[in-house]
Amino acid sequence: MSELFLFNKPFQVMSQFTDSDGRANLSDYIRIPAIYPAGRLDYDSEGLMILTGDGELQHQISHPRHKLAKTYWVQVDGDITGSAVAALQTGVQLNDGPTLPAVANKIDEPEILWPRTPPVRFRANIPTSWLSLTITEGRNRQVRRMTAAVGFPTLRLIRASIGDWSIENLAPGEYTSLTLGPELVRYKPSKSGKPHVSRNKTRTRPRRKHSP
């Protein structure tokens, strides 16, 4: 059995426990010794991070060879077109090579969405739209580069799920611990792109950010 922690990383928080420039980081929210992130999430992105003290499990989750799917909710600049979504589904050419086909769907604004601080800029004459995007690769800033490549720059990026684990019931800055069985359950993304929650776990109450 392994213990695993799901954390909903807020906007502009480093996905590490220290920062030489004094920026907000994981230690401002989680004070549990000997756990480490299984993968990273950009400073200007939000959503699910997984942490564990189990090195083998950390490797299974984070290593590209295992192709654990990650689903993102993406707010883009403009009303994304069907042809742009189709291009993402097929794979797009980036400066480091073509991407694998993604599970991509235009969606309504997610119901569980929380306000971002600071908010995304508002321009009355230019609409925005939302996309669910599931990928199995882990290139640097890949989702942002993919939407830009099809003509719709990313304004807000939220990782909704990793494999069978999601940010369901976790507010920004909250985390929960799970007890995981001996096998990692692989995730098969649905055509809807909606996060799926595994039942192979025991959920504890979410824990809020510690006071400074």
Side-chain angles (χ1 to χ4, degrees):
M1 307 292 283
S2 299
E3 191 170 24
L4 176 148
F5 297 85
L6 306 182
F7 174 57
N8 187 350
K9 186 187 87 67
F11 182 61
Q12 293 186 341
V13 171
M14 297 296 292
S15 58
Q16 57 197 41
F17 281 97
T18 60
D19 184 66
S20 58
D21 295 326
R23 291 171 291 188
N25 59 75
L26 298 181
S27 67
D28 295 313
Y29 298 86
I30 304 172
R31 297 183 182 176
I32 299 172
I35 64 170
Y36 307 95
R40 61 186 299 277
L41 188 59
D42 290 335
Y43 179 68
D44 53 355
S45 298
E46 307 161 71
L48 184 62
M49 291 189 64
I50 296 179
L51 302 95
T52 181
D54 184 326
E56 183 177 350
L57 180 59
Q58 182 187 33
H59 177 76
Q60 280 186 290
I61 295 169
S62 61
H63 199 285
R65 183 179 65 207
H66 297 290
K67 297 189 181 300
L68 199 61
K70 300 176 178 66
T71 296
Y72 296 85
W73 295 330
V74 194
Q75 185 181 18
V76 297
D77 201 4
D79 187 8
I80 194 163
T81 61
S83 59
V85 172
L88 294 168
Q89 293 170 342
T90 303
V92 297
Q93 182 68 41
L94 303 179
N95 59 8
D96 54 355
T99 67
L100 294 175
V103 178
N105 295 282
K106 186 178 181 180
I107 61 172
D108 295 331
E109 182 178 302
E111 293 181 1
I112 68 169
L113 195 66
W114 53 89
R116 199 191 77 175
T117 305
V120 172
R121 70 183 185 275
F122 173 75
R123 294 183 291 178
N125 60 331
I126 300 180
T128 69
S129 53
W130 284 89
L131 178 73
S132 172
L133 189 65
T134 301
I135 61 174
T136 56
E137 300 174 279
R139 305 190 206 179
N140 185 46
R141 299 180 74 81
Q142 180 175 341
V143 171
R144 295 177 187 276
R145 292 192 290 144
M146 288 175 70
T147 68
V150 297
F152 294 88
T154 292
L155 298 175
R156 187 176 182 185
L157 183 60
I158 301 166
R159 187 155 64 195
S161 67
I162 301 173
D164 284 338
W165 303 293
S166 84
I167 54 171
E168 183 182 22
N169 299 324
L170 285 178
E174 290 186 344
Y175 67 91
T176 189
S177 63
L178 314 175
T179 301
L180 194 67
E183 294 184 358
L184 175 63
V185 179
R186 296 296 181 90
Y187 172 69
K188 295 180 180 179
S190 67
K191 292 183 179 180
S192 69
K194 294 180 179 179
H196 170 70
V197 181
S198 171
R199 302 304 173 193
N200 185 27
K201 63 176 181 268
T202 300
R203 180 183 291 274
T204 64
R205 292 180 60 191
R207 305 173 196 177
R208 296 182 180 275
K209 176 182 176 180
H210 289 273
S211 300

